[in-house]
Every structure is written in structure tokens, then in C-alpha cells.
Amino acid sequence: MENVSTILTLDRIKAREIEEAKQTIRQDFFDVLLSGNLISAEMLTTLSESHGMQKNYAYYCLLIHIVPVDSESYPSMVIRKYELEHVAKKCVHLIHEMS
């Protein structure tokens, strides 16, 4: 039982780390894209295709500012940060599903 729980925990940690790495790579791509630091159109095509974007599609930039309703209701800043990250992930998931 202990071995199974350890393996499951490690699998969850691994999956979370992979997702965080993907998110960081995606964020870096958009930082480069929005800052205009692309070297060539070929680089843009390669990077956008690696993120599942089609060059013939129209894309829009969406900025969401998440403000907690009652920041005093959280017992600690860690819990507040966790809750806000959870809301942000839900927003990203909904936008991804709708698009």
C-alpha cells in the first residue's frame, strides 16, 4: 500500500512538473511573440506550429485580471495563491475548450 501511494504521488508530481514546463515554454513563446523579438517569419512559423497554432487562422489576445472577492477570508497567503492559481487554470481550460 505504501509503495502504491508513493508511486501515485510521484506520478502526480511528474505530471504537474511536465505541465508547468509546458506552460513556461508556452509563456516564453508568447513573450517573444508579443515583444516582437522574432528573428524571421520561418522562426514564427516553426514556433507557432510547435504550439498547435495555424498560420492561416486569426488569433486574438485576451488578458484576464483575476481579483479575489474577499482576500481577507483566506487564512494564509499560500492558500490565497493556490486558490487564485486554481481559478486561473480553470479560465485557461475553459478558453482552450471554447477555442
Side-chain angles (χ1 to χ4, degrees), residues 4-98:
V4 171
S5 67
T6 301
I7 290 170
L8 290 175
T9 302
L10 290 174
D11 280 346
R12 289 187 70 196
I13 291 170
K14 180 181 174 184
R16 186 177 63 216
E17 293 293 327
I18 289 171
E19 189 58 37
E20 287 177 4
K22 285 181 184 178
Q23 187 67 24
T24 300
I25 291 168
R26 191 175 302 126
Q27 184 174 348
D28 290 346
F29 165 69
F30 284 110
D31 287 346
V32 168
L33 182 64
L34 295 173
S35 68
N37 291 332
L38 292 168
I39 297 170
S40 66
E42 187 177 290
M43 179 182 171
L44 173 61
T45 302
T46 303
L47 287 173
S48 60
E49 286 175 354
S50 69
H51 291 283
M53 299 174 75
Q54 304 295 321
K55 65 181 179 179
N56 297 330
Y57 287 8
Y59 291 95
Y60 298 91
C61 180
L62 176 67
L63 178 65
I64 299 174
H65 181 71
I66 300 170
V67 179
V69 177
D70 185 13
S71 61
E72 299 298 321
S73 66
Y74 299 108
S76 73
M77 288 182 65
V78 173
I79 293 172
R80 179 176 180 242
K81 183 177 185 288
Y82 174 79
E83 290 296 325
L84 291 175
E85 285 178 358
H86 180 69
V87 170
K89 286 179 182 179
K90 285 174 75 173
C91 288
V92 169
H93 179 73
L94 285 171
I95 291 167
H96 188 302
E97 289 294 316
M98 298 298 283

